[in-house]
Amino acid sequence: EVQLVESGGGLVQPGGSLRLSCAASGFAFVGYGMIWVRQVPGKGLEWVSSITGGGGVTYYADSVKGRFSISRDNSKDTLYLQMNSLRAEDTALYYCVKDLGGWPFYFEYWGQGTLVTVSS
Amino acid sequence: QSALTQPASVSGSPGQSITISCTGTSSDIGSYRYVSWYQQHPGKAPKFMIFDVSNRPSGVSDRFSGSKSGNTASLTISGLQAEDEADYYCSSYTSTSTWVFGGGTKLTVL
């Protein structure tokens, strides 16, 4: 059974940093792209960033480019999102998502999310 | 990376069929068959329902079907059931190697 467990969310001041983690299990982690998607409570979904299985290629939404960095440690089956220069508009529930396999990425399995709140 | 356009809400009675539209541009839906749909119940994570415009992942009911014409994709749910009441989101791959979601549609089963 695929399991994705996010952690690292919390309250941070504007301009601050946070690193999210996602522990994956139940599948061959290195063989799949991984994605971060966020959702402001009560609002819609927003794609944030994606990374290929080997970690060599990354993609970012314009809204986070230059501030966020996606990475993965395939020896630990863990996905990360380093978030710097955080803004109030980054406040959201951040989901870790497993790709279906193949290209382009599809959002097959979702974790339960970790909440990030940016506020002074 | 503008969001795809979906109706805010749709409704239908049990047993009926409904269709949710998702309008994009020639840079996303119009250029690729890389459209997917997701169902989200309140307080839950989204569920993967449709990919490649019209393909269903294993375990998804065949009451759910997808199609595309030009810059607009559609999700049709036939034989509406109470459990179908949820928010639905479309998504597309884009020409700039990014992904975009629709704003979401709230389905009410009357």
Side-chain angles (χ1 to χ4, degrees):
Chain A
E1 178 192 5
V2 171
Q3 288 199 335
L4 302 167
V5 180
E6 303 94 337
S7 61
L11 175 63
V12 61
Q13 291 189 338
S17 297
L18 214 52
R19 188 177 84 154
L20 306 183
S21 298
C22 171
S25 61
F27 65 101
F29 186 68
V30 67
Y32 293 87
M34 296 295 295
I35 305 112
W36 288 100
V37 175
R38 67 186 181 185
Q39 183 174 35
V40 174
K43 302 296 184 182
L45 301 170
E46 180 186 11
W47 170 76
V48 174
S49 182
S50 300
I51 187 168
T52 53
V57 185
T58 58
Y59 306 88
Y60 296 94
D62 287 346
S63 58
V64 306
K65 195 174 296 182
R67 300 188 299 122
F68 289 13
S69 177
I70 190 171
S71 63
R72 61 193 296 161
D73 185 337
N74 287 340
S75 69
K76 297 181 178 179
D77 290 354
T78 301
L79 175 72
Y80 302 100
L81 185 67
Q82 177 67 43
M83 303 186 297
N84 299 327
S85 303
L86 282 162
R87 306 166 179 167
E89 54 265 36
D90 295 319
T91 294
L93 184 66
Y94 284 72
Y95 290 105
C96 169
V97 186
K98 171 191 173 291
D99 167 47
L100 175 65
W103 182 260
F105 295 161
Y106 284 114
F107 315 124
E108 184 187 23
Y109 285 103
W110 300 62
Q112 289 305 304
T114 186
L115 184 62
V116 172
T117 303
V118 184
S119 175
S120 55
Chain B
Q1 294 174 353
S2 298
L4 307 174
T5 300
Q6 297 181 234
S9 63
V10 299
S11 63
S13 299
Q16 287 185 333
S17 295
I18 64 95
T19 296
I20 299 172
S21 63
C22 172
T23 302
T25 69
S26 58
S27 296
D28 39 66
I29 293 177
S31 288
Y32 306 100
R33 288 189 60 82
Y34 301 143
V35 177
S36 54
W37 290 88
Y38 303 84
Q39 175 192 65
Q40 187 178 34
H41 286 108
K44 301 294 187 181
K47 177 184 177 182
F48 183 46
M49 302 298 287
I50 295 283
F51 69 101
D52 285 351
V53 173
S54 59
N55 290 338
R56 283 186 305 277
S58 174
V60 173
S61 170
D62 60 6
R63 296 187 300 104
F64 292 83
S65 62
S67 62
K68 189 193 90 156
S69 178
N71 295 341
T72 299
S74 299
L75 173 71
T76 297
I77 308 174
S78 59
L80 265 182
Q81 299 179 0
E83 67 210 48
D84 299 333
E85 186 162 294
D87 294 328
Y88 291 84
Y89 295 89
C90 60
S91 179
S92 176
Y93 177 69
T94 82
S95 60
T96 55
S97 297
T98 59
W99 286 260
V100 62
F101 283 98
T105 297
K106 180 177 179 59
L107 169 61
T108 300
V109 180
L110 303 171

